[in-house]
Structure formats: structure tokens, C-alpha cells
Amino acid sequence: MGLTTEQIVAAAKAVTPNIDVVEHHGDLTLVVPRQHVTEVLTELKENPDVSFDMLVDITAVDRAKGEDRFEVVYFLASVNNKARVRIKTLVREDNPHLPTAVDIWES
């Protein structure tokens, strides 16, 4: 049983409607405002309709210019639903801090 894009987006947008949805070659990325990233990650894990129970990886991209110079990307998987999603947030060079995801996934 797989999840639809609509189910995943609805779960994330229950936290904040200010999410950009990008689909590229069948991969879903949600661009989440930095002030809501922890709440969106928590919702995607704890919402039984989507249940993203695994944080597969976290990475960062240095775009080398612009106010939002850095991108932090979380790769999530829902084992039971056989689904994956990327959560991306932009981080300013003058304040390069985000809350930890360890409180959500202990791995």
C-alpha cells in the first residue's frame, strides 16, 4: 500500500499551508519554512495516515550565495506505506541554525 502525493502534502499542510510542493522524476520534495520544519517533521512521523517512521538521511547544500545560502534536506521513509519524501528548508548564512531532529527520531 503506497501513499499518494495528496496524502503526504495534506499531512504537512495541516501544520502550515506555506509549503511548496516539487515533484521531479517521481520524487516528492516539500519546501518548508524553517520556523515550521520541526513541526512538519513531527507531524509526518506521528500522523498515522502517513507514518514516516524512518529518518534515512540529512544533508545540506551550500548554494554559495543569497540570503538563504544553505538548504537542509531531510530524507524520510514510511516503511509500512512504502513511501519516501524529502523535506527541504532554507537557512540564512547569518543565522545557520536549526533545531535537532534527534528529539523526533533518536537515530
Side-chain angles (χ1 to χ4, degrees):
M1 162 183 178
L3 293 173
T4 65
T5 296
E6 292 77 18
Q7 288 173 296
I8 299 167
V9 171
K13 286 194 173 189
V15 175
T16 179
N18 300 326
I19 293 175
D20 292 327
V21 178
V22 179
E23 286 190 87
H24 184 70
H25 295 292
D27 293 327
L28 176 63
T29 302
L30 305 180
V31 184
V32 177
R34 138 184 193 186
Q35 66 268 25
H36 296 291
V37 72
T38 303
E39 293 90 348
V40 169
L41 293 172
T42 300
E43 178 67 17
L44 291 174
K45 180 183 180 200
E46 294 180 356
N47 183 322
D49 293 335
V50 292
S51 187
F52 282 94
D53 51 341
M54 182 183 297
L55 173 61
V56 177
D57 199 7
I58 302 173
T59 191
V61 177
D62 182 350
R63 300 186 315 179
K65 56 185 165 183
E67 288 184 2
D68 293 326
R69 176 177 172 171
F70 303 105
E71 297 176 353
V72 176
V73 186
Y74 303 82
F75 296 84
L76 309 182
S78 175
V79 176
N80 288 336
N81 292 312
K82 298 180 177 80
R84 291 181 173 262
V85 66
R86 283 184 294 229
I87 306 301
K88 182 186 294 186
T89 194
L90 303 176
V91 181
R92 296 179 56 92
E93 180 178 15
D94 62 353
N95 186 14
H97 302 282
L98 284 173
T100 181
V102 171
D103 296 333
I104 305 167
W105 293 277
E106 293 181 5
S107 60

